[in-house]
């Protein structure tokens, strides 16, 4: 599954709103959300080299985010 939007000038929506809608209506797990984010890159129209670059950046961003969350949880 991939979360996407149409032209925001037409639909008056954006990708953030689509993820908020998904989370509030269907309450997917964190693993599912993460899979959808990765799928949006894997199944995009980017060329293979660009996909690899973006996926590496995404890996780093998820690692950083998860480390920050773990740090906050451990402070409690």
């Amino acid at each position: 599954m991939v979360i996407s939007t149409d032209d925001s000038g037409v639909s008056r929506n954006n990708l953030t709103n689509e993820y908020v809608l998904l989370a509030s209506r269907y309450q997917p797990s964190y693993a599912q959300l993460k899979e959808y984010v990765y799928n949006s890159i894997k199944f995009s129209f980017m060329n293979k080299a660009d996909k690899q670059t973006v996926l590496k950046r995404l890996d780093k961003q998820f690692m950083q985010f998860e480390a920050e969350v773990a740090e906050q949880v451990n402070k409690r």
Side-chain angles (χ1 to χ4, degrees):
M1 185 160 103
V2 173
I3 306 303
S4 61
T5 64
D6 200 348
D7 181 348
S8 62
V10 173
S11 65
R12 303 281 190 246
N13 205 356
N14 60 45
L15 199 51
T16 300
N17 288 339
E18 292 299 317
Y19 273 97
V20 169
L21 186 60
L22 169 72
S24 63
R25 280 192 184 171
Y26 303 105
Q27 301 175 345
S29 68
Y30 178 73
Q32 288 173 309
L33 284 173
K34 200 170 167 180
E35 179 183 351
Y36 302 155
V37 172
Y38 276 97
N39 284 348
S40 69
I41 296 167
K42 290 176 186 175
F43 299 110
S44 73
F45 293 109
M46 285 187 277
N47 64 52
K48 189 174 182 178
D50 288 343
K51 284 181 186 183
Q52 289 175 346
T53 300
V54 173
L55 286 170
K56 285 180 185 179
R57 186 175 351 141
L58 183 60
D59 287 338
K60 289 178 185 177
Q61 290 173 328
F62 268 121
M63 284 176 38
Q64 180 181 0
F65 171 75
E66 291 165 0
E68 290 172 5
V69 169
E71 183 179 322
Q72 293 298 318
V73 169
N74 290 332
K75 286 183 180 180
R76 293 182 184 171

